[in-house]
């Protein structure tokens, strides 16, 4: 598993909020949904995305933006246009004065706005949940990033546009998977850009030694790894691995392994009803007690407290 796969392996889209927004200027929507990640793809026309306290970006047809939550932002035809609607957690929509907007801008299946053939059309997909595994990647993203059509091209756009308005059995699952694919394609394109400033652990995946070790750890966290066994798999000495891993990733191999195991455990606690003992063995701990001790040391709460808060 590589870093991009790790983003969606934990909080893979499940019942993501998906909508086609159709507007005529002037229009402006303020987004306060606190979602961890939202992707916006312009199909027709243009739009501005402006984060609170940050510099906005202008999107034209074929351009894409990704907003990292939970901070609010506005999406509009012009940065000076006043908000006409507010998106709150759970997809609730209101007027700026708090009155419910439910049904007033509905245009049919997953369509919303002024009119279906509006001069501006955006496809919007929002991840509604955040897992600990994705934190490593989300922390590496700016509050708002954009890709213009001249530096990226995605064949998924027409497929997503077509599937967005279908109302077929299993359609939610189809859209979730398309959103995952679109997100991976966009992040891959973003991290290839010099301005992306990819984190050290992401860049280290390209290293023949450290990259192999990272994949071994991520693919089989339950294995009783040691620096010696990892070094043997990578074909280097323990000292060489420790030195190179520290230089490229910024922490020792076993520290990284511990963080990965606990992140996996946090996701399993959030997303399943499995016992702590079962989760412990899945992520490489010999007992529930050992996992609980390590978990509380790193997260500051017990696994049970973490599960209760998530619920």
């Amino acid at each position: 598993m590589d870093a991009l796969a790790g983003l969606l392996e934990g909080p893979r889209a499940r019942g993501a909020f998906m909508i086609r927004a159709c507007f005529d200027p002037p229009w402006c929507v303020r987004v306060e949904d606190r979602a961890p990640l939202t992707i916006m793809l312009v199909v027709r026309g243009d739009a501005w995305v402006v984060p609170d306290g940050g510099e906005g970006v202008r999107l034209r047809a074929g351009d894409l933006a990704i907003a990292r939550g939970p901070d609010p932002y506005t999406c509009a035809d012009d940065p000076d246009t006043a908000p006409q609607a507010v998106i709150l957690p759970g997809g609730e929509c209101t007027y700026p004065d708090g009155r419910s907007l439910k049904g007033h801008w509905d245009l049919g299946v997953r369509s919303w706005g002024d009119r279906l053939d509006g001069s501006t059309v955006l496809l919007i997909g929002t991840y509604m949940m955040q897992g600990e595994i994705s934190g490593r990647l989300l922390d590496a993203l700016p509050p708002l990033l954009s890709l213009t059509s001249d530096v990226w091209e995605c064949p998924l756009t027409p497929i997503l546009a077509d599937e967005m308005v279908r109302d077929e059995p299993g359609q939610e699952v189809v859209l979730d998977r398309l959103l995952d694919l679109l997100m991976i394609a966009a992040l891959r394109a973003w991290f290839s850009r010099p301005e992306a400033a990819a984190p050290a652990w992401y860049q280290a995946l390209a290293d023949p030694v450290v990259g192999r070790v990272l994949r071994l750890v991520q693919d089989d966290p339950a294995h009783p790894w040691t620096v010696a066994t990892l070094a043997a798999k990578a074909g280097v000495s323990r000292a060489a691995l420790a030195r190179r891993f520290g230089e490229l990733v910024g922490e020792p191999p076993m520290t990284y392994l511990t963080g990965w195991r606990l992140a996996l455990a946090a996701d399993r606690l959030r997303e399943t009803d499995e016992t702590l003992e079962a989760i412990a063995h899945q992520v490489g701990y010999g007992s529930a007690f050992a996992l609980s001790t390590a978990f509380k040391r790193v997260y500051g709460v017990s696994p049970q407290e973490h599960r209760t808060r998530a619920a």
Side-chain angles (χ1 to χ4, degrees):
M1 181 190 301
D2 62 27
L4 291 177
L7 168 68
L8 297 172
E9 184 62 24
R12 182 182 299 146
R14 298 180 181 89
F17 179 72
M18 303 281 288
I19 199 166
R20 180 178 63 165
C22 313
F23 297 112
D24 288 319
W27 62 273
C28 178
V29 176
R30 179 168 175 80
V31 182
E32 299 179 357
D33 61 3
R34 300 189 63 80
L37 211 60
T38 297
I39 189 165
M40 294 160 277
L41 179 61
V42 180
V43 176
R44 182 166 68 240
D46 58 82
W48 280 87
V49 182
V50 185
D52 280 18
E55 186 175 346
V57 298
R58 184 177 185 179
L59 306 175
R60 295 177 172 83
D63 295 353
L64 173 146
I66 297 176
R68 188 200 66 194
D71 295 337
Y73 57 92
T74 58
C75 191
D77 69 305
D78 185 275
D80 294 328
T81 301
Q84 299 160 334
V86 181
I87 310 297
L88 299 172
E92 180 184 353
C93 303
T94 71
Y95 288 104
D97 62 8
R99 290 179 296 125
S100 176
L101 206 154
K102 185 176 182 180
H104 290 191
W105 281 7
D106 287 354
L107 297 174
V109 178
R110 299 184 194 86
S111 298
W112 188 71
D114 298 319
R115 58 189 178 93
L116 288 175
D117 57 349
S119 60
T120 299
V121 176
L122 299 91
L123 304 181
I124 302 171
T126 300
Y127 286 82
M128 305 303 291
M129 60 183 295
Q130 179 167 350
E132 298 299 335
I133 298 175
S134 67
R136 287 179 178 265
L137 188 50
L138 293 178
D139 289 345
L141 298 177
L144 179 67
L145 66 87
S146 63
L147 292 167
T148 56
S149 59
D150 61 327
V151 300
W152 100 298
E153 183 177 355
C154 184
L156 293 170
T157 302
I159 300 174
L160 183 60
D162 181 60
E163 293 289 343
M164 184 83 79
V165 295
R166 289 181 180 270
D167 192 15
E168 306 285 346
Q171 193 65 19
E172 186 176 276
V173 177
V174 171
L175 291 173
D176 284 348
R177 297 293 75 78
L178 284 173
L179 179 60
D180 289 345
L181 291 172
L182 181 64
M183 185 66 73
I184 291 172
L187 291 175
R188 181 189 297 162
W190 166 254
F191 276 119
S192 70
R193 306 293 297 167
E195 67 269 23
W201 56 263
Y202 181 89
Q203 298 180 48
L205 288 165
D207 183 81
V209 173
V210 177
R212 176 165 173 72
V213 170
L214 287 170
R215 289 180 175 86
L216 286 169
V217 165
Q218 293 170 352
D219 286 344
D220 191 5
H223 188 84
W225 296 113
T226 64
V227 175
T229 57
L230 288 169
K233 289 284 188 180
V236 296
S237 69
R238 287 179 294 177
L241 173 60
R243 181 176 63 253
R244 191 167 185 82
F245 199 99
E247 290 173 352
L248 296 182
V249 181
E251 59 185 352
M254 301 313 289
T255 301
Y256 180 91
L257 173 60
T258 296
W260 181 253
R261 285 171 167 170
L262 294 178
L264 285 168
D267 274 355
R268 300 302 293 173
L269 288 164
R270 176 187 289 107
E271 298 167 7
T272 75
D273 294 326
E274 294 171 329
T275 66
L276 187 58
E277 190 74 25
I279 294 173
H281 291 299
Q282 290 171 19
V283 301
Y285 283 87
S287 67
F289 177 79
L291 172 58
S292 182
T293 301
F295 195 95
K296 191 166 186 177
R297 183 177 65 249
V298 172
Y299 287 92
V301 296
S302 70
Q304 185 57 49
E305 289 175 292
H306 175 82
R307 173 172 271 171
T308 301
R309 291 181 181 181

